[in-house]
Amino acid sequence: MSVEHASTRLIDAYARGDADIAADEVWALEAHLERCGTCRERLSAAVASEAPAVASLVGTVWSELEPQLGTAAAMPPRRRRTAARSAWMTPVMVPWVAGAACVVLIALLLEVAGFRAGFGEAPLVLLLAPLLPVCGVAASWSRGLDPAYELTASAPRAGLYLVLRRTAAVLAVVVPPLLVGGWATGVTAGQWLLPCLAFTSTALALGTVIGVSRACGALVAVWVVVVLAPTLATSRITFALQTDGLPAWGLVLALGVGVVAARRGAYSVLSTHR
């Protein structure tokens, strides 16, 4: 498989520290440098020729740092495991995602106890299924909840790669309780799984335009107005949650995935992380 390397113009400009390089180009180059040794060697040579002062400074620092590397303590295994998990889920995500799973269990207990609260024949698990993963995704990209938000948003891999990893982590925690809740209440998997995945993919697709957190908030509001409010008013399952509506949810899921794939480069723009 052929590898497309960075252009000489971009590497030379990056070595000089030019301020007129587009932000998406800088992010793409830094992400490429992480996995391409050839371009790292080209960058090293470019620094020596384009920015000799920087090369001299790096050489001085390295000459003082190198003797200390052999005596430096290795990272403890626990820290290494924590660092590996951070690629999938940040510490601030854990209580929010765990809370979403607890909401499913509480809804199941209320369902078993016969507490309908005006929802009529609509199971609580079915009504909550699309909201929970969206809320988890919103928490994973919330500026107010994550103290390391700026650091995460400015990282070279803070694009679609990281978005999909965090979304997968949310789904991995939320889907199993929903599966148990659906089985216990007699709801078919398609009735809750398709809306769940469709809402999640739509949140990611809409996030390329208005930001992931704002997209999640907008979808929660739409669900409340379009589904929860009519269900409370009529005490009946709306068309959106009936088996006849599954093809429509499948279409929404396909459109969401298509938009995410087509606009995957938009996740490398800081506004996506709003």
Side-chain angles (χ1 to χ4, degrees), residues 115-134:
F115 180 75
R116 310 299 304 177
F119 291 102
E121 58 188 36
L124 294 176
V125 173
L126 187 59
L127 293 172
L128 295 175
L131 297 180
L132 298 178
V134 170

Side-chain angles (χ1 to χ4, degrees), residues 66-95:
E66 185 177 16
Q68 304 177 29
L69 296 179
T71 59
M75 181 184 293
R78 182 179 178 181
R79 292 284 299 277
R80 288 198 295 268
R81 291 193 295 269
T82 301
R85 287 196 299 268
S86 65
W88 293 89
M89 185 178 294
T90 62
V92 295
M93 285 177 58
V94 175

